[in-house]
C-alpha cells in the first residue's frame, strides 16, 4: 500500500484567485492521478501525471485551468487557477498499486466564495 | 457513453439487515472491478477487487461482491450490516489499458 499526504486539507478561497494543492507519496510511483469529487457526485479524473512528461488531461479539463507539476517520483502539485464557485470540490490525489487498485489521499476540500 | 452505474443513491438499513448494492458498467472487453468505501471524514479505501478467476470475491469487513459478466454487474453484498458500515460506497471499473472510472456512489446509513 501507499501512504499519500495532501496539503491543504481544506481551504476557503476568493473568486479569481489560485490555489496549489500538494501531494506527497511515501514511495516512488510512476503515475499519479488527480481526481475531483464535486458535492454529491462521484470522482472524476482530471489528469494523469507522469514524472518527466506533461500531464495528460481528461476531456473537459485543460492545463491552463489545472496546471500540474510532477518534479519527482514522490511528489505532485495541482493548481486550480482563476477559481470560481463552480470549482468548489474535493480534490484527490491517488496512485496505482501493484495490482491495479488506487490508493487515495484524504483529499483537499476547496470552497470558493 | 461508457459508464459505471450505481442504482441506489441512499440506502438506509437497520443493524443486522442484509445489504446488496448494485453496480453495472457499460465497458466492453476485459475490465478490472473494484469497490471502495469512504467512511465519514476519512479517505477512500479499497474494499475488494476482481481481476479474474472466481467471480465471487471476498473483501475486508465481511463484504463480498459477485461479478456476473453476462449482466455487466458487480454487486456488493454483506449478510449482516453493522452501524460502523455507515459510509459511502463507490463502484469502480478499470477498463483494460484505461483509467479508473467511478460510479456516483451509494450512501449507506445503518441505524443502530
Amino acid at each position: 500500500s501507499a501512504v499519500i499526504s495532501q496539503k491543504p486539507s481544506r481551504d476557503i478561497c476568493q473568486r479569481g484567485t489560485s490555489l496549489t494543492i500538494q501531494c506527497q507519496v511515501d514511495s516512488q510511483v510512476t503515475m499519479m492521478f488527480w481526481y475531483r469529487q464535486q458535492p454529491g457526485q462521484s470522482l472524476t479524473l482530471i489528469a494523469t501525471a507522469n514524472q518527466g512528461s506533461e500531464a495528460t488531461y481528461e476531456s473537459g479539463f485543460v492545463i491552463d485551468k489545472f496546471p500540474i507539476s510532477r518534479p519527482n517520483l514522490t511528489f505532485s502539485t495541482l493548481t486550480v487557477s482563476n477559481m470560481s464557485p463552480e470549482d468548489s470540490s474535493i480534490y484527490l490525489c491517488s496512485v496505482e498499486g501493484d495490482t491495479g487498485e488506487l490508493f487515495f489521499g484524504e483529499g483537499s476540500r476547496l470552497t470558493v466564495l | 457513453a461508457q459508464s459505471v452505474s450505481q442504482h441506489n443513491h441512499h440506502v438506509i438499513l437497520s443493524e443486522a439487515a442484509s445489504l446488496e448494492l448494485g453496480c453495472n458498467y457499460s465497458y466492453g472487453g476485459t475490465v478490472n472491478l473494484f469497490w471502495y468505501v469512504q467512511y465519514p471524514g476519512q479517505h477512500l479505501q479499497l474494499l475488494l477487487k476482481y481481476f479474474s478467476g472466481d467471480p465471487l470475491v471476498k473483501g475486508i469487513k465481511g463484504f463480498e461482491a459477485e461479478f456476473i459478466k453476462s449482466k455487466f454487474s458487480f454487486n456488493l453484498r454483506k449478510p449482516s450490516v453493522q452501524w460502523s458500515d455507515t459510509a459511502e460506497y463507490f463502484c469502480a471499473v478499470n477498463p483494460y489499458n484505461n483509467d479508473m472510472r467511478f460510479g456516483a456512489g451509494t450512501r449507506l446509513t445503518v441505524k443502530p
Side-chain angles (χ1 to χ4, degrees):
Chain A
S1 66
V3 177
I4 302 169
S5 303
Q6 281 187 237
K7 291 181 184 178
S9 58
R10 59 180 63 229
D11 206 341
I12 300 172
C13 301
Q14 296 297 320
R15 181 195 300 259
T17 63
S18 298
L19 177 73
T20 295
I21 301 166
Q22 299 178 3
C23 177
Q24 179 76 51
V25 188
D26 68 343
S27 58
Q28 293 185 337
V29 293
T30 304
M31 291 196 292
M32 295 175 75
F33 305 90
W34 285 99
Y35 282 85
R36 181 173 72 182
Q37 186 178 15
Q38 291 181 300
Q41 297 188 30
S42 185
L43 286 77
T44 302
L45 181 63
I46 298 172
T48 302
N50 291 338
Q51 196 271 333
S53 63
E54 293 280 333
T56 303
Y57 289 82
E58 295 298 304
S59 176
F61 297 97
V62 295
I63 188 171
D64 290 345
K65 176 67 176 177
F66 297 100
I68 287 171
S69 78
R70 183 77 205 274
N72 57 54
L73 291 172
T74 63
F75 187 78
S76 178
T77 67
L78 169 76
T79 298
V80 187
S81 304
N82 188 24
M83 287 184 286
S84 66
E86 292 71 36
D87 294 320
S88 296
S89 185
I90 299 173
Y91 292 86
L92 295 153
C93 172
S94 72
V95 302
E96 191 173 32
D98 292 338
T99 52
E101 71 270 37
L102 292 181
F103 297 100
F104 288 88
E106 295 191 359
S108 299
R109 183 183 293 272
L110 173 62
T111 302
V112 185
L113 303 177
Chain B
Q2 296 178 323
S3 66
V4 181
S5 301
Q6 290 184 241
H7 313 301
N8 311 102
H9 180 64
H10 188 192
V11 173
I12 302 173
L13 296 172
S14 298
E15 274 195 317
S18 65
L19 169 73
E20 180 159 2
L21 302 182
C23 175
N24 285 88
Y25 61 93
S26 61
Y27 298 91
T30 303
V31 294
N32 296 329
L33 300 158
F34 307 82
W35 275 96
Y36 286 85
V37 61
Q38 188 171 29
Y39 297 104
Q42 296 188 28
H43 63 280
L44 279 157
Q45 303 171 41
L46 181 68
L47 261 184
L48 49 77
K49 60 190 177 187
Y50 172 79
F51 287 172
S52 62
D54 189 344
L56 184 63
V57 293
K58 295 190 184 299
I60 60 172
K61 304 186 181 185
F63 286 91
E64 64 180 31
E66 184 175 14
F67 169 54
I68 302 179
K69 188 174 182 178
S70 61
K71 294 185 178 179
F72 294 86
S73 69
F74 190 56
N75 292 356
L76 181 71
R77 299 196 292 248
K78 186 170 183 177
S80 176
V81 294
Q82 302 171 312
W83 175 79
S84 58
D85 292 324
T86 295
E88 185 121 21
Y89 293 81
F90 293 93
C91 179
V93 176
N94 190 349
Y96 187 67
N97 279 343
N98 211 323
D99 299 310
M100 191 86 75
R101 305 291 167 172
F102 287 81
T106 298
R107 184 154 59 100
L108 172 66
T109 301
V110 180
K111 295 184 174 181

